[in-house]
Amino acid sequence: MGFFMRFTLAGTVLMLGLLLKQCHDLFKELPVPEVDYREYWGPGSSENYVEDIEVKPFELAYGTEVIEELKAKLDKVPNLPEPLEGSNFEYGFNSNRLREILKYWRSDYLMRWDERQKFLNQFPQFKTQIQGLDIHFIHVKPKESDHKRVLPIIVLHGWPGSVREFYEMIPKLTTRSDEKEYVFEVIVPSLPGFGFSQGTSKRGLSAAKMAVIMRNLMVRLGFSKFYIHCGDWGAVIGNLMATFFQSEVLGFHSTMCMNNSPLGHLKTLIGGIFPTFVLKPEHVNHYFPYLDRVKFMLEESGYFHLQATKPDTIGAALTGNPVGLAAYILEKFSTGTNPSFRFLEDGGLEKYFSLDALLDHIMIYYLTDSVTTSQRLYVEAFNIRELMNFDRTPTVVPAGCAKFRYEIYQQTDWALKDHLRNLIQNNHYPDGGHFAALQMPDVLYGDIVQFVNRLYRRED
């Protein structure tokens, strides 16, 4: 063999070895990372910061002046262009449907604002300072007369959701019932920068950092161990809580279970090529065809890219702008519930949701001017360390996944179990989408109870 051939062969072997080492490094497990429990996220320097640990009652108290100003804005709806013939929601929010909703908002919903505000205040709400930020949360305790064991559970929302997603489910969790030998004590926080929780003044408040804040909130309230239920960004944060604080989380339940490690993505890709190798035939359409899922994400993720790069720009367009805010957020409730709703003239919004419930969400973002601060999470979380590394740390926390047919993001058990090592429940549902708690609260409640029932007698 000549010198050139030997040199080429040696180079090829070297490159192959380096590639295999790189793959090994990408796929190897990582230890539980160290976290900073006291990292400061408030304004200015933390040098003289003394945390106010008091838990203070809170309630919405928006009076006539604020509502009259909103009515005046809705009286001056811009001249929206007519939708293209037959376009339905395929070009975005259909302007004819938007006019109808804006009219209802102005002439019906806001005329009953005292009623809606009372509805939003129906559960005890509080604020407390965590790491420099005022964190808002709902805290509902079961009635003393129930005489059942009480289990603490933190329930986490995402974007463009809010604590309002869980109003129909909270009474089910906290009330005595035949299907469970316990009742839940429910804590539903507004994520930092969302709704009534203060947004950070510092760069870097990612999902991983929010996981620490949410854990610290539970400790502040006296819970050394607790359950988690979550979806959307809440699912990312809850997953990280179950990874970082494995001795504290009793169980992790999610509507959007994920393993974003390189191995998790590789297994998802392989599953797309050989779906029946990893799935029962009746479950294949929950996950595949994989290319259809990718195509849908490319078509519908423009907002994601915008918010992950320029959240303040789109935030400026939406803040104080009820028309733009309603179109921008409600379109996500349409397509996120069922992708086929893009082809309906009304967007399918009232197939599962009342307009009052949807406008409650809009009001929370509008009244708090929190759309910009909520969207900044996309910048902080959309990086390689956040997306790829943390799920390389296995968690032994018991996990349960409620998989609704039209959830935006799904992964098979085969892909999940490298991260969720103790996946004990995985139920598939023929309907339901991204906002399952608001869309199908009875079904989701039943799934949570089934999951906790599996663990209840094993506690302690």
Side-chain angles (χ1 to χ4, degrees), residues 163-446:
V163 296
R164 173 63 183 88
E165 288 181 63
F166 307 107
Y167 271 50
E168 283 72 21
M169 198 168 68
I170 289 172
K172 302 176 190 300
L173 293 168
T174 57
T175 302
R176 184 186 185 97
S177 59
D178 293 337
E179 68 272 10
K180 58 185 189 292
E181 299 178 27
Y182 49 83
V183 286
F184 290 101
E185 184 169 343
V186 180
I187 296 88
V188 188
S190 296
L191 298 178
F194 288 70
F196 307 104
S197 282
Q198 183 181 354
T200 182
S201 300
K202 307 285 190 290
R203 299 177 70 164
L205 184 55
S206 64
K209 304 297 186 179
M210 287 190 184
V212 179
I213 293 174
M214 294 296 101
R215 176 267 179 193
N216 285 345
L217 171 63
M218 294 301 282
V219 172
R220 172 72 51 82
L221 298 177
F223 303 115
S224 59
K225 294 180 182 292
F226 50 88
Y227 289 90
I228 299 171
H229 167 72
C230 46
D232 193 78
W233 278 116
V236 179
I237 294 165
N239 179 32
L240 291 166
M241 293 173 72
T243 302
F244 297 165
F245 314 113
Q246 299 191 33
S247 64
E248 300 175 37
V249 178
L250 294 168
F252 165 73
H253 184 274
S254 178
T255 56
M256 202 171 77
C257 292
M258 64 191 73
N259 176 6
N260 276 320
S261 70
L263 184 57
H265 286 297
L266 177 62
K267 285 189 170 184
T268 298
L269 181 61
I270 293 171
I273 301 171
F274 307 105
T276 55
F277 174 71
V278 299
L279 286 167
K280 294 179 180 179
E282 63 266 28
H283 294 154
V284 168
N285 64 3
H286 264 74
Y287 310 88
F288 306 113
Y290 187 64
L291 288 179
D292 287 354
R293 290 250 173 197
V294 172
K295 179 175 179 289
F296 173 75
M297 293 300 293
L298 289 173
E299 290 174 346
E300 297 297 328
S301 62
Y303 80 96
F304 194 108
H305 183 72
L306 182 60
Q307 291 172 195
T309 53
K310 306 293 181 183
D312 287 26
T313 300
I314 184 60
L318 299 175
T319 301
N321 175 7
V323 178
L325 193 65
Y328 194 73
I329 288 180
L330 294 184
E331 186 235 311
K332 306 301 180 289
F333 276 89
S334 169
T335 309
T337 300
N338 189 319
S340 69
F341 287 177
R342 293 174 294 175
F343 309 112
L344 301 178
E345 190 173 3
D346 65 356
L349 284 168
E350 290 185 87
K351 286 185 178 294
Y352 295 102
F353 311 120
S354 70
L355 286 184
D356 281 357
L358 294 172
L359 289 170
D360 288 342
H361 282 281
I362 305 303
M363 287 296 286
I364 289 172
Y365 280 92
Y366 175 82
L367 293 170
T368 59
D369 289 329
S370 62
V371 67
T372 300
T373 54
S374 69
Q375 291 172 160
R376 287 174 179 164
L377 174 56
Y378 286 75
V379 177
E380 309 299 354
F382 198 61
N383 62 68
I384 293 298
R385 182 168 185 266
E386 288 276 330
L387 293 177
M388 302 289 278
N389 279 352
F390 288 132
D391 284 354
R392 290 167 63 186
T393 301
T395 175
V396 297
V397 171
C401 304
K403 296 187 173 179
F404 292 89
R405 173 68 178 85
Y406 301 108
E407 175 56 74
I408 294 171
Y409 187 72
Q410 300 276 21
Q411 284 180 293
T412 65
D413 285 9
W414 188 52
L416 292 172
K417 284 186 174 180
D418 292 292
H419 172 59
L420 300 176
R421 293 291 174 84
N422 196 6
L423 182 58
I424 64 171
Q425 180 171 301
N426 184 30
N427 290 330
H428 295 77
Y429 296 99
D431 198 0
H434 194 59
F435 304 96
L438 191 64
Q439 180 188 358
M440 304 176 74
D442 291 340
V443 176
L444 182 55
Y445 162 75

Side-chain angles (χ1 to χ4, degrees), residues 74-94:
L74 292 172
D75 281 336
K76 298 177 181 178
V77 174
N79 186 23
L80 300 171
E82 291 295 316
L84 296 174
E85 295 176 4
S87 63
N88 300 315
F89 269 59
E90 294 168 77
Y91 279 66
F93 209 99
N94 184 287

Side-chain angles (χ1 to χ4, degrees), residues 127-173:
K127 283 190 176 184
T128 192
Q129 193 175 68
I130 306 284
Q131 296 172 246
L133 301 177
D134 289 334
I135 301 299
H136 162 263
F137 60 97
I138 292 169
H139 187 178
V140 185
K141 300 179 180 181
K143 295 179 181 179
E144 293 182 6
S145 60
D146 278 339
H147 298 302
K148 288 196 171 187
R149 185 174 179 183
V150 178
L151 306 180
I153 185 169
I154 184 171
V155 180
L156 301 172
H157 68 82
W159 191 93
S162 69
V163 296
R164 173 63 183 88
E165 288 181 63
F166 307 107
Y167 271 50
E168 283 72 21
M169 198 168 68
I170 289 172
K172 302 176 190 300
L173 293 168

